[in-house]
Amino acid sequence: MSVLRRSGPSPLGDAMNVSFEFFPPRSGDMESQLWESVMRLAPFSPDFVSVTYGAGGSTRKPTLATIKRLLEETDLSPAAHLTCVNASKDEVDAVAREFWQAGVRHFVALRGDSAEGVGSSYKAHPDGYRNAAELVAGLKAFADFEITVSAYPEKHPESPDFMTDIDMLKRKVDNGATRAITQFFFDNDTYERYVERVRRAGIYIPIVPGILPVHNFAQVAKFASLCGASIPDWLATRFEGLEKDPQTRSLVAAAVAADQVMDLVERGVQDFHFYTMNRAQLVFAICHLLGLRAPKGNGSVTSIAAA
């Protein structure tokens, strides 16, 4: 893999560490898009790349296939998402064992959303892990995995209050989690207040901001309403009137995300996780604006075979 080069006078690139999230393909076209995205973003030398896992193991095979290919054909460090939705402990443990045998040493351990979809009431499997804290404990009992978990600057929509929500994060940490990635947010003051709450609760693992580039404002706003994330009025104004203008929308989205990250860097944040939606062009532009530099050329990685 080519070595990442930073931009000249800007200190931002040198101050940042990035990671990227991808989702496994469900079709040939989606597979091509996934690997084009990986090839485009890999030269930024991310700390790791994560691959999502569908509810109830619905994408187990594609997730595992993607992880294997990342391990075999790139120098990237993959992390596999794992949830406990609609699965017994034995079933989840079997998946963890299968991923271990494939070479996975890092999990993003999540309870997961209800199989009925985001916003629906969650019901634990009667013989399963009831939450992410129990899942973390189960994974650590099997092997000394590196474990990343989720965090919620505006609290999880099912938590009655912040105290309950942060207590759950503490349980995850006590059971072995060493990093948390936040749900996406657009108000950096909200993130900063959350980190202060977390630190006061005695939680000192990195709380990595999850950055969501706004590919489609209407879709992001709808998803945010389901998962308890707020959309500031200023953000809606930025995208107003661009519903049928994807090129301008992308320019605005890149500027919005870059501004958010720049402000967080000024507040002392160094690590960032990008939800790529398997669309590299916008994320690449954002990283470039932030001072990260891929090698000259198209930023692809020659070690990845064509999909």
Side-chain angles (χ1 to χ4, degrees):
M1 179 182 295
S2 302
V3 177
L4 173 66
R5 298 186 298 166
R6 307 293 188 181
S7 62
S10 171
L12 277 177
D14 290 327
M16 289 176 53
N17 302 304
V18 297
S19 55
F20 302 122
E21 178 181 293
F22 301 103
F23 61 84
R26 293 177 180 268
S27 67
D29 288 344
M30 292 176 68
E31 183 166 6
S32 296
Q33 181 176 330
L34 165 64
W35 292 105
E36 287 170 3
S37 297
V38 171
M39 292 167 68
R40 183 72 167 147
L41 297 176
F44 287 125
S45 299
D47 284 353
F48 64 92
V49 296
S50 67
V51 183
T52 62
Y53 184 86
S58 59
T59 66
R60 180 182 63 82
K61 289 184 179 179
T63 297
L64 183 58
T66 301
I67 290 284
K68 284 182 176 179
R69 189 170 177 187
L70 287 167
L71 287 166
E72 293 169 358
E73 300 183 26
T74 79
D75 297 326
L76 298 171
S77 298
H81 287 221
L82 186 62
T83 71
C84 41
V85 177
N86 287 358
S88 67
K89 291 181 180 179
D90 288 344
E91 290 169 332
V92 173
D93 292 348
V95 173
R97 188 175 300 109
E98 184 178 19
F99 279 50
W100 170 272
Q101 291 170 349
V104 172
R105 298 296 181 267
H106 181 183
F107 276 108
V108 179
L110 309 166
R111 188 203 69 179
D113 295 313
S114 168
E116 282 72 45
V118 178
S120 301
S121 178
Y122 176 82
K123 295 181 181 178
H125 188 286
D127 298 317
Y129 295 109
R130 291 173 297 175
N131 51 54
E134 291 188 2
L135 176 58
V136 171
L139 290 170
K140 293 297 277 189
F142 173 70
D144 189 23
F145 291 111
E146 177 182 359
I147 299 181
T148 295
V149 293
S150 58
Y152 299 87
E154 299 175 83
K155 82 175 183 62
H156 192 283
E158 295 178 33
S159 292
D161 50 53
F162 267 108
M163 184 178 296
T164 302
D165 198 64
I166 292 175
D167 179 66
M168 174 56 69
L169 178 59
K170 192 172 192 309
R171 289 172 60 191
K172 297 175 192 177
V173 174
D174 290 344
N175 288 347
T178 55
R179 177 195 296 105
I181 296 172
T182 73
Q183 181 172 267
F184 68 89
F185 60 93
F186 298 103
D187 184 337
N188 288 350
D189 289 341
T190 296
Y191 167 81
E192 196 165 50
R193 286 193 296 268
Y194 176 73
V195 173
E196 290 174 357
R197 288 174 184 258
V198 164
R199 300 302 183 229
R200 288 198 300 269
I203 301 169
Y204 299 106
I205 64 170
I207 308 297
V208 180
I211 305 299
L212 178 66
V214 183
H215 296 278
N216 182 306
F217 178 78
Q219 290 179 358
V220 169
K222 180 179 180 180
F223 186 66
S225 68
L226 294 173
C227 61
S230 61
I231 299 292
D233 291 341
W234 63 261
L235 185 64
T237 300
R238 294 274 184 98
F239 289 95
E240 187 176 357
L242 299 179
E243 294 81 4
K244 298 181 180 180
D245 188 350
Q247 290 183 325
T248 304
R249 196 167 63 224
S250 291
L251 294 173
V252 172
V256 166
D259 283 348
Q260 181 181 16
V261 173
M262 287 177 185
D263 180 66
L264 287 167
V265 170
E266 291 177 357
R267 298 176 190 225
V269 180
Q270 294 182 317
D271 301 326
F272 299 90
H273 186 74
F274 287 90
Y275 298 112
T276 73
M277 307 302 290
N278 290 9
R279 296 179 180 180
Q281 198 69 14
L282 180 52
V283 177
F284 187 96
I286 293 165
C287 289
H288 185 90
L289 286 169
L290 294 170
L292 296 170
R293 288 293 180 268
K296 289 183 178 179
N298 62 7
S300 63
V301 180
T302 56
S303 61
I304 302 179

